Amino acid sequence: MSSGFINPSGNSSGLNQTGSSTINSDNQMEGVTSSDENSMLYQNQNNQQLNRYSIEHPQDNRLPSIDYVEPAFWCTISYYELNQHVGESFHASQPYVNVDGFVDPSSPSRFCLGVLTNINRTYESEQCRKLIGRGVRLYYIGGEVYAECLSDSPIFVQSPNCNTMNGWHPATVCKLPPGCNLKIFSHHEFANILARTVPEGYNAVFQLTKMCSIRISFVKGWGNDYRRQAITSTPCWIEVRLNGPFQWLDRIWPQMNGPGSLSS
């Protein structure tokens, strides 16, 4: 597997609201190879160590801290065509999951989009689905999430957490060519951001929910560099909701005198 080094199309410090970056292939992704499932199982055990993260009680540090708890399903994947949610969402429990365009039955480590029907499917979405092929593989490794493009066509990724780590605008969209991968989320980075944000109040913490969702478009990009300005204008895309970070915020929120839980 090739690891992507960041090669922004322009100065990364000057990216506009929906600027773009291109990921090129260079080195191996640290800690995993495509064929090393034993490594993936080992990393799944390492993910459980994330429970060590905790945040002091936001109202009174004499009260118990609020710990991160690793959920049974580390992410939930929803598939969309334009602005329409298609089919049921996929709940990932394995340390890696393939999202592809084939018609085989889905399994705990595979979400096949080819079997999903949509009576309102457009011609453009139909043609795009034919190009998804092997799609994208998502890895959950020791508190970090990676995306690897297995398709013969590029994928486009928008991850506010990834963008923060690279010093880009939160809305930046990264083009990931075939054979390349990108770290799209870091629990360590998220925990540090959360610790800095809690003193700012519940509105600031609520904004961090945006970091808990990652959007990936197949074949077609969006943003200022593309004809499509929003991902809801792309033919085929997925939203990856990271359940652990989201549920952590959901436990912190009620302790901050906010209007309610995030999932209500």
Side-chain angles (χ1 to χ4, degrees):
M1 180 190 325
S2 300
S3 178
F5 67 90
I6 308 304
N7 181 24
S9 54
N11 189 335
S12 63
S13 62
L15 288 172
N16 54 34
Q17 185 174 5
T18 51
S20 66
S21 293
T22 301
I23 311 304
N24 292 329
S25 115
D26 187 27
N27 301 317
Q28 182 132 10
M29 183 165 71
E30 182 179 356
V32 66
T33 63
S34 294
S35 60
D36 194 352
E37 295 190 9
N38 289 329
S39 174
M40 298 306 300
L41 293 174
Y42 172 75
Q43 294 292 352
N44 190 37
Q45 295 172 352
N46 284 349
N47 290 338
Q48 302 302 319
Q49 298 177 9
L50 294 172
N51 296 331
R52 70 182 184 274
Y53 288 118
S54 64
I55 293 292
E56 287 188 354
H57 195 284
Q59 298 298 325
D60 189 342
N61 58 17
R62 294 171 298 180
L63 296 176
S65 60
I66 303 172
D67 297 334
Y68 176 89
V69 178
E70 185 68 16
F73 300 100
W74 66 271
C75 81
T76 299
I77 306 172
S78 301
Y79 170 64
Y80 293 83
E81 294 176 2
L82 301 174
N83 62 354
Q84 183 178 1
H85 183 201
V86 178
E88 297 183 1
S89 296
F90 179 90
H91 304 282
S93 60
Q94 301 301 303
Y96 72 90
V97 58
N98 286 1
V99 183
D100 60 49
F102 302 125
V103 295
D104 297 327
S106 295
S107 69
S109 61
R110 187 177 182 189
F111 184 21
C112 294
L113 305 179
V115 299
L116 302 180
T117 59
N118 179 10
I119 59 173
N120 298 315
R121 180 165 293 149
T122 65
Y123 174 80
E124 187 177 30
S125 292
E126 184 65 41
Q127 295 306 305
C128 182
R129 283 167 55 84
K130 295 177 181 178
L131 299 176
I132 293 175
R134 296 174 62 204
V136 60
R137 176 175 288 182
L138 302 174
Y139 298 87
Y140 185 35
I141 309 170
E144 296 179 337
V145 181
Y146 291 82
E148 180 186 10
C149 181
L150 303 180
S151 175
D152 292 333
S153 300
I155 61 174
F156 298 82
V157 181
Q158 186 182 63
S159 167
N161 183 269
C162 169
N163 294 336
T164 297
M165 287 188 288
N166 288 287
W168 300 338
H169 188 281
T172 297
V173 176
C174 293
K175 179 180 180 180
L176 199 58
C180 295
N181 70 71
L182 176 68
K183 183 195 296 186
I184 57 177
F185 190 88
S186 166
H187 273 283
H188 182 72
E189 177 75 15
F190 181 78
N192 287 338
I193 295 172
L194 177 57
R196 295 195 302 266
T197 305
V198 165
E200 300 177 16
Y202 62 80
N203 285 331
V205 171
F206 181 82
Q207 292 301 312
L208 294 185
T209 59
K210 297 176 182 178
M211 278 199 175
C212 302
S213 293
I214 299 163
R215 292 178 166 186
I216 301 175
S217 173
F218 297 99
V219 185
K220 302 295 184 180
W222 80 98
N224 286 358
D225 293 343
Y226 297 92
R227 176 171 62 86
R228 301 167 181 83
Q229 295 300 296
I231 194 170
T232 51
S233 297
T234 63
C236 304
W237 60 281
I238 57 174
E239 183 172 58
V240 182
R241 172 167 147 160
L242 302 175
N243 295 322
F246 192 93
Q247 291 170 12
W248 197 15
L249 293 179
D250 207 20
R251 287 191 296 275
I252 294 172
W253 180 264
Q255 308 303 324
M256 303 187 70
N257 296 326
S261 71
L262 299 174
S263 58
S264 62

